[in-house]
Amino acid sequence: MKEAKVIAEIGCNHKGDIEIAKELIKVAKIFCNADVVKFQKRNNKELLTESQYNAPHPNPANSYGDTYGAHREYLEFNLEEHKRLKEYCDELEITYSTSTWDLSSAQQIASLQPELIKIPSACNNNYEMLGWLCDNYEGEIHVSTGMTSKDEIEDLISFFEEKNRNQDIVLYACTSGYPVPFEDVCLLEISRLKEKYQNRVKEIGFSGHHLGIAVDVAAYVLGANWVERHYTLDRTWKGTDHAASLEPAGVRKLVRDLKAVNKAMSLKSEDILDIEKEQREKLKYQK
């Protein structure tokens, strides 16, 4: 089996502060040993109606602005800031990536030529954005399937096949919730996606919003080559995603456990392994 690649999703957990974002990158690389860090990019006025933009945040305790739009703008990095974050990732030798939520954000992030761009579950039916990426972006396109029907997933993969980009697609099993109770994680969706799509896409992944790290190891064993988890420096920080995120120690343990399981996933190379021979001589019943 391939080693799993771990994406530490920073998202908006930087609280709008680029120095916190850089600290999250550094810790993800040096302490956690993650493979990828991931941010988000949104054009809020493109995504939100005027009334949504000017409405109050549904949970004022987590808001960084007087309106939902102001809250979202506060947490948004511009293209130059994303460029600085990518350069910092390159310096530390950890892969930079971003989820793009709309066409203009996809165009901006693609200009930085990252190795991969993520399409969140909420936007996997934005075919204007997907089509532009297929035609203009050469990297991998990772797509989550939360809150998406089986027919919609089939339409999505068929679209990438028509664009001749399906072998650049990593398709993620996902349940959209923050946090997701274990009974709603639905791990066997990984097996279903693998059975139906493993020969039609590049790889299968798992994007988890649950608590703890046991589920992610099972996801890997079921066939997810990519494991994505929300990540923060402090789960008690203000904001909606922190509570459903792993702190650095959790990401570090997740990476450790996935590497251990990778080493263990094999058949015996001979009937009696070298490690067993001494024990066999000492303990095996002699007829």
Side-chain angles (χ1 to χ4, degrees), residues 38 98-102 106 116-126 129-130 133 141-145 156 160 169-170 172 228:
K38 184 167 74 68
T98 299
S99 292
T100 61
W101 287 66
D102 52 81
L116 67 96
I117 285 176
K118 180 77 186 294
I119 305 302
S121 298
C123 308
N124 64 20
N125 59 346
N126 183 340
M129 175 174 67
L130 297 177
L133 285 170
I141 302 172
H142 293 218
V143 188
S144 274
T145 60
L156 182 65
F160 288 125
I169 302 303
V170 178
Y172 286 72
E228 175 186 81

Side-chain angles (χ1 to χ4, degrees), residues 67-272:
T67 65
Y68 185 70
H71 161 78
R72 290 252 52 103
E73 300 291 6
Y74 185 92
L75 295 172
E76 194 66 38
F77 289 143
N78 61 35
L79 180 60
E80 180 56 34
E81 288 169 319
H82 274 279
K83 183 173 184 248
R84 287 164 59 192
L85 293 173
K86 183 178 184 297
E87 288 170 349
Y88 189 60
C89 288
D90 292 343
E91 180 184 330
L92 293 181
E93 298 183 334
I94 186 170
T95 300
Y96 159 94
S97 68
T98 299
S99 292
T100 61
W101 287 66
D102 52 81
L103 176 59
S104 58
S105 295
Q107 291 170 332
Q108 287 188 327
I109 295 302
S111 73
L112 301 178
Q113 298 182 308
E115 292 181 27
L116 67 96
I117 285 176
K118 180 77 186 294
I119 305 302
S121 298
C123 308
N124 64 20
N125 59 346
N126 183 340
Y127 283 99
E128 181 184 21
M129 175 174 67
L130 297 177
W132 188 91
L133 285 170
C134 286
D135 294 339
N136 297 279
Y137 170 67
E138 296 182 354
E140 290 181 353
I141 302 172
H142 293 218
V143 188
S144 274
T145 60
M147 50 187 171
T148 304
S149 72
K150 293 180 179 63
D151 287 344
E152 288 171 331
I153 295 171
E154 176 60 32
D155 290 344
L156 182 65
I157 300 308
S158 296
F159 173 82
F160 288 125
E161 288 172 330
E162 290 167 8
K163 287 287 191 177
N164 199 30
R165 292 299 307 273
N166 54 297
Q167 289 305 316
D168 296 319
I169 302 303
V170 178
L171 187 67
Y172 286 72
C174 176
T175 298
S176 298
Y178 305 89
V180 175
F182 293 120
E183 60 268 25
D184 289 333
V185 172
C186 303
L187 272 179
L188 292 182
E189 283 296 305
I190 296 168
S191 301
R192 190 186 69 79
L193 291 179
K194 185 176 179 182
E195 180 179 352
K196 189 168 180 63
Y197 295 112
Q198 67 175 342
N199 296 321
R200 297 171 64 186
V201 300
K202 185 171 185 177
E203 289 179 309
I204 302 297
F206 172 66
S207 179
H209 305 116
H210 52 282
L211 302 178
I213 59 175
V215 166
D216 306 275
V217 172
Y220 171 58
V221 172
L222 286 168
N225 296 116
W226 294 78
V227 174
E228 175 186 81
R229 292 297 305 274
H230 282 266
Y231 154 66
T232 183
L233 296 179
D234 188 338
R235 294 179 67 243
T236 68
W237 275 352
K238 176 181 173 179
T240 53
D241 287 348
H242 296 286
S245 299
L246 294 175
E247 291 181 341
V251 180
R252 180 183 174 95
K253 289 175 182 176
L254 173 60
V255 172
R256 176 202 67 189
D257 289 354
L258 288 169
K259 288 184 182 296
V261 170
N262 172 261
K263 290 180 180 178
M265 291 294 289
S266 64
L267 297 169
K268 284 191 173 184
S269 57
E270 52 187 340
D271 285 349
I272 312 298

